[in-house]
Amino acid sequence: YTHLGLALNSLGNFEDAMDAFQTALVINAENPETYNTMGKVFRARGKKSEAIDAFQKAVEIDPGYIDACHNLGGELLKRNQTEEAVFVFKRLLDLKPDTIATLNRLGKALLFLGRIPEAIKTFKKCIQADPENAQAYQNLGAAFELTGNQDEASDAFQKAILFASDSAEAHH
């Protein structure tokens, strides 16, 4: 029923998709995959609060469910619930250290909170895990800019351009 709900949603039938998800939950109310999938559908439909609730339920059921944790952290970050996002991203890294996307998102969240030294350390760890990650270099450059360290910022932006020459943000 979870997969049926996903298929129905992809056909544009949101109401029947939700009915299928609810049937899946009647059969197994503790299925984190159903909640995570519902969260993705809510997110795609612009229902951000419902998406967060569904992702949170998936994580409550299975705190080690990487995809649900990643989805929850991303939605919290988008909703400016940055402290909560940091908590989720750190928990994710406890489960799966050196995950590049999570390191990058954690660094951005720390940057938003003004925790610049932590953000720089996190971006450097991301770059250590993926030395050609243009986005991590871009974010590192932005962090160095905030500290007033223009030389380090310039070096990071140049590396971002090296690995993503079409990045307008890095060129800017």
Side-chain angles (χ1 to χ4, degrees):
Y1 284 98
T2 298
H3 294 284
L4 175 62
L6 194 56
L8 288 166
N9 182 66
S10 69
L11 293 173
N13 194 338
F14 180 71
E15 297 303 322
D16 286 344
M18 286 297 122
D19 288 343
F21 292 137
Q22 291 306 318
T23 301
L25 293 174
V26 167
I27 294 168
N28 182 0
E30 298 297 308
N31 184 346
E33 181 185 354
T34 300
Y35 286 105
N36 189 50
T37 303
M38 285 175 64
K40 290 177 182 180
V41 169
F42 283 132
R43 178 178 59 204
R45 296 279 178 165
K47 298 176 179 284
K48 303 299 184 187
S49 294
E50 292 91 339
I52 288 173
D53 291 343
F55 294 138
Q56 282 178 324
K57 184 65 177 174
V59 171
E60 285 172 18
I61 293 168
D62 182 359
Y65 190 0
I66 302 289
D67 190 43
C69 288
H70 194 73
N71 289 327
L72 176 58
E75 284 306 307
L76 290 169
L77 191 56
K78 288 177 192 172
R79 300 272 320 230
N80 294 321
Q81 293 176 268
T82 313
E83 287 287 353
E84 295 90 341
V86 166
F87 177 78
V88 171
F89 292 140
K90 284 185 174 185
R91 184 172 56 194
L92 251 173
L93 290 170
D94 287 341
L95 297 170
K96 195 170 181 183
D98 298 330
T99 304
I100 284 123
T102 304
L103 285 165
N104 220 0
R105 282 185 165 185
L106 173 60
K108 286 177 85 169
L110 292 167
L111 201 58
F112 293 150
L113 291 172
R115 293 162 57 180
I116 298 168
E118 281 181 85
I120 289 171
K121 182 179 175 184
T122 303
F123 293 132
K124 285 182 175 182
K125 189 172 183 182
C126 184
I127 290 165
Q128 185 178 12
D130 180 9
E132 296 183 7
N133 189 309
Q135 188 62 54
Y137 281 112
Q138 170 63 38
N139 293 333
L140 180 62
F144 279 130
E145 255 188 336
L146 291 173
T147 67
N149 189 337
Q150 296 304 319
D151 291 337
E152 292 281 355
S154 179
D155 288 346
F157 291 136
Q158 286 175 8
K159 286 184 181 170
I161 292 167
L162 176 67
F163 298 118
S165 61
D166 60 341
S167 171
E169 189 178 7
H171 283 282
H172 178 343

